[in-house]
Amino acid sequence: MAEKAIDMQYEEGNIVEWAVPLIKSGDISAILDPVLNAPYDLEALRRIANVACKCVRMRGKDRPSMDK
């Protein structure tokens, strides 16, 4: 079953705290909605997920600039 986009009863943290460790461990399929078909190009998804991880870093200077 897929997770709700916003679950006000969820107390385990937020989507960043949930997804970033999975992405860093290489478990990209764990963040995909199981109701949807798996993407054809998992390597492209992996690259996008890695950029997303960089974009949510706490310190602004640790995030990529818009021109990268």
Side-chain angles (χ1 to χ4, degrees), residues 4-13:
K4 293 179 181 178
I6 298 175
D7 184 352
M8 300 306 281
Q9 305 303 314
Y10 187 70
E11 297 177 5
E12 298 297 319

Side-chain angles (χ1 to χ4, degrees), residues 1 10-11 15-16 26 29 32 35 38-39 49 53-54 60-62:
M1 177 167 50
Y10 187 70
E11 297 177 5
I15 193 167
V16 173
S29 60
L32 299 177
V35 175
C53 284
K54 292 176 183 176
K61 68 180 186 176
D62 293 336

Side-chain angles (χ1 to χ4, degrees), residues 40-62:
Y40 175 73
D41 189 352
L42 267 177
E43 183 54 36
L45 180 61
R46 191 176 328 277
R47 290 192 308 265
I48 292 167
N50 285 326
V51 170
C53 284
K54 292 176 183 176
C55 291
V56 296
R57 290 179 177 161
M58 292 297 292
R59 294 176 3 152
K61 68 180 186 176
D62 293 336

